[in-house]
């Protein structure tokens, strides 16, 4: 019995030490995995960063924005958006206007800027909306502007609500205006209101909510 009493504290100490080292080990493994030639491997490595709170994580994700494969860039963008990484707004905004950025990546960039909700993203999203985009792209941009909630977007949203050729986009623009004015809560505000502990919510759930919104938007196009 005396022997058992001496061993247990040692086991507990090892478990605590292992828990503390886990983020470091994960980040180390991810950095190595991101050098793999297979894009699918690089995507899977980024997924390991979802739940980590280490400050180095966002930097790794931002570095992956320049990955040569669109799938990797999209995954990095989505996770940064779900993490509400304000420091990623400037590089993501710049990517929106690079000719080398694929249209599907731009769509995810706009959605991520909306999720983050930083006012720095307003002008880039407005410029994106002002370009000749398809219906889904315009709808995503309008939704993002509503989520950011800046008064700077009011004039453009009014124009879209009145003149856009798509009923779906006009409806989203009206909802965005209500969000900006405070008459309608943003998705981010509803999440916080529903559970004050959502600060620790797995990013999977946040991404799933936006994907559900995207599906509704697609269904409304049919």
């Amino acid at each position: 019995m005396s022997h058992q009493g001496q061993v247990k504290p040692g086991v507990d100490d090892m478990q605590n030490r292992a828990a503390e080292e886990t983020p470091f080990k994960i980040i180390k493994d991810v950095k190595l995995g991101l050098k793999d030639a297979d894009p699918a491997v690089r995507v899977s490595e980024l997924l390991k960063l979802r739940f980590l709170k280490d400050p180095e994580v966002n930097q790794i994700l931002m570095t992956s924005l320049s990955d040569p494969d669109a799938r990797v860039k999209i995954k990095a963008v989505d996770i940064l958006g779900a993490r509400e990484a304000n420091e990623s707004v400037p590089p993501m905004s710049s990517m929106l206007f690079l000719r080398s950025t694929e249209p599907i990546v731009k769509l995810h960039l706009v959605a991520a800027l909306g999720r983050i909700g930083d006012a720095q993203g307003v002008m880039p999203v407005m410029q994106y909306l002002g370009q000749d985009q398809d219906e889904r792209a315009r709808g995503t941009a309008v939704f993002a502007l509503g989520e950011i909630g800046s008064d700077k977007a009011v004039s453009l949203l009014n124009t879209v609500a009145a003149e856009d050729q798509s009923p779906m986009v006009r409806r989203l623009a009206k909802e965005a205006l209500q969000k900006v004015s405070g008459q309608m809560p943003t998705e981010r505000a509803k999440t916080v209101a529903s559970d004050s502990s959502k600060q620790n919510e797995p990013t999977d759930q946040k991404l799933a909510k936006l994907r559900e919104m995207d599906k509704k938007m697609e269904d409304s196009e049919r």
Side-chain angles (χ1 to χ4, degrees):
M1 296 294 291
S2 174
H3 175 68
Q4 291 177 348
Q6 292 173 359
V7 171
K8 191 175 187 305
V11 172
D12 290 343
D13 289 344
M14 290 174 64
Q15 291 175 337
N16 291 336
R17 194 178 305 117
E20 292 175 358
E21 292 174 350
T22 296
F24 172 79
K25 290 180 180 178
I26 292 175
I27 289 174
K28 184 178 180 180
D29 289 344
V30 167
K31 286 181 176 179
L32 182 61
L34 288 174
K35 297 178 182 179
D36 197 284
D38 186 351
V41 172
R42 300 200 297 277
V43 168
S44 67
E45 292 299 325
L46 290 180
L47 288 171
K48 298 176 183 178
L49 301 176
R50 292 180 176 189
F51 308 112
L52 296 186
K53 296 178 183 286
D54 191 286
E56 190 175 2
V57 169
N58 287 348
Q59 185 56 55
I60 295 172
L61 290 166
M62 286 190 287
T63 299
S64 294
L65 294 177
S66 59
D67 192 278
D69 191 275
R71 290 167 291 179
V72 180
K73 286 185 281 193
I74 286 172
K75 185 55 62 179
V77 167
D78 287 349
I79 296 176
L80 284 166
R83 290 172 66 86
E84 299 180 3
N86 294 71
E87 64 267 40
S88 69
V89 173
M92 288 201 296
S93 297
S94 297
M95 282 182 69
L96 268 180
F97 305 104
L98 294 177
R99 291 183 178 179
S100 58
T101 304
E102 300 88 340
I104 186 61
V105 175
K106 290 184 178 183
L107 193 66
H108 282 257
L109 285 165
V110 171
L113 290 171
R115 292 183 204 132
I116 295 170
D118 192 305
Q120 295 180 83
V122 173
M123 293 308 296
V125 175
M126 288 176 62
Q127 292 174 37
Y128 175 82
L129 177 57
Q131 297 173 352
D132 184 19
Q133 304 290 343
D134 62 27
E135 184 180 42
R136 184 185 178 192
R138 297 197 310 278
T140 301
V142 165
F143 181 86
L145 290 174
E147 288 296 295
I148 297 172
S150 172
D151 291 340
K152 294 179 180 178
V154 170
S155 179
L156 179 57
L157 288 171
N158 275 321
T159 299
V160 174
E163 301 177 4
D164 196 275
Q165 60 186 1
S166 165
M168 182 269 292
V169 175
R170 293 199 300 271
R171 175 178 56 78
L172 287 172
K174 292 174 183 176
E175 291 178 358
L177 285 166
Q178 290 179 311
K179 291 177 182 179
V180 173
S181 67
Q183 298 176 42
M184 180 177 175
T186 63
E187 292 302 312
R188 295 169 70 248
K190 286 192 285 188
T191 298
V192 172
S194 66
D195 187 350
S196 60
S197 67
K198 290 293 185 179
Q199 294 292 338
N200 298 319
E201 179 185 45
T203 55
D204 286 17
Q205 295 178 29
K206 294 182 180 179
L207 286 170
K209 288 176 182 176
L210 190 73
R211 290 195 184 101
E212 182 180 353
M213 182 278 296
D214 283 342
K215 177 144 190 334
K216 289 180 180 178
M217 287 170 55
E218 290 176 4
D219 291 342
S220 68
E221 294 177 16
R222 298 190 180 97

